[in-house]
Amino acid sequence: RAFLVGDMPFLSYQVSQEEAIRNAGRFLKEAGMDAVKLEGGGKNVQTVAAIVSAGVSVMGHIGLTPQTATQFGGYKVQGKSAEAAFRLLQDALALQEAGCFALVLEAVPARVAEVISDKLTIPTIGIGAGPNCDGQVLVFHDLLGMFDQFTPKFVKQFANLEPVIIEALSQFCREVQDGLFPGEEHSFKMPTREYQKFLKRL
């Protein structure tokens, strides 16, 4: 069984610490998660500490943070200057101190991710952060080649399922429209005697 980490949506933890704790708890109770993930360092560090104090395991996420990417110039590599890299390291250490059990590093130069990973005692999970993180993650749809309109530099497609999926869905539509699906082999049967009794009741 996989260890499930729920990615807390935008504004589910930014409004107040009380609301953040409540929403994190809902992830565990209602969604069956084992932990939650929050994006960003800085002011979110205190929120992380509050959620951890309430008994919920938290994974951090710094670098490119998709929920707030527009504040940092869009979907761009973070930590390319010495100052920006040092801020990422400070955020990483602060999140570890706040109680994060692991940290996602997204779209961070490989050298910076390596230094951060070396400085932390908790594991780092890289996505576009080079080979020296403790673990790696890719978006499911990117990994399987289910979306070809945009492919980030760090993505490796291990399959190309988009044309297969499109053809399967197109064939499904055609067969429904032509009355070929569902066929007799896809339909449940009723004993003839019971069907006759049913008809008599009409």
Side-chain angles (χ1 to χ4, degrees):
R1 180 183 177 277
F3 183 84
L4 302 178
V5 181
D7 196 355
M8 293 189 71
F10 183 65
L11 289 184
S12 67
Y13 56 93
Q14 291 94 339
V15 176
S16 69
Q17 289 185 10
E18 292 76 14
E19 186 171 332
I21 292 169
R22 186 179 306 109
N23 288 331
R26 290 187 65 193
F27 261 90
L28 270 62
K29 291 195 307 182
E30 298 176 29
M33 296 293 109
D34 298 299
V36 297
K37 181 175 75 64
L38 278 68
E39 290 187 4
K43 60 185 178 182
N44 289 329
V45 170
Q46 291 182 341
T47 301
V48 167
I51 295 172
V52 171
S53 294
V56 178
S57 298
V58 176
M59 175 182 282
H61 183 154
I62 60 173
L64 172 61
T65 49
Q67 293 178 9
T68 54
T70 54
Q71 291 184 347
F72 304 102
Y75 290 84
K76 296 180 179 179
V77 176
Q78 302 296 311
K80 291 176 76 172
S81 70
E83 182 180 345
F86 188 69
R87 280 198 307 270
L88 284 176
L89 175 59
Q90 289 179 311
D91 279 344
L93 292 169
L95 287 166
Q96 176 178 264
E97 182 66 23
C100 283
F101 70 90
L103 185 64
V104 172
L105 301 175
E106 180 168 357
V108 173
R111 290 180 178 180
V112 176
E114 182 177 9
V115 170
I116 292 173
S117 298
D118 287 343
K119 295 289 185 183
L120 296 179
T121 58
I122 60 175
T124 57
I125 309 298
I127 176 167
N132 295 308
C133 295
D134 299 297
Q136 299 291 333
V137 65
L138 278 178
V139 173
F140 183 77
H141 299 75
D142 292 336
L143 187 152
L144 294 179
M146 296 170 68
F147 182 76
D148 69 351
Q149 293 181 30
F150 171 72
T151 303
K153 172 185 173 65
F154 56 81
V155 168
K156 177 179 180 180
Q157 290 186 339
F158 289 83
N160 184 21
L161 297 186
E162 183 184 36
V164 177
I165 292 170
I166 290 174
E167 174 54 32
L169 293 173
S170 299
Q171 185 176 345
F172 166 73
C173 289
R174 287 193 301 269
E175 291 197 11
V176 169
Q177 291 169 349
D178 294 342
L180 300 175
F181 178 83
E184 186 177 346
E185 67 274 26
H186 309 112
S187 303
F188 296 103
K189 299 186 182 302
M190 182 181 192
T192 303
R193 182 178 298 176
E194 294 301 316
Y195 180 63
Q196 291 173 346
K197 288 181 182 178
F198 167 67
L199 291 178
K200 287 180 180 178
R201 291 194 169 197
L202 298 180

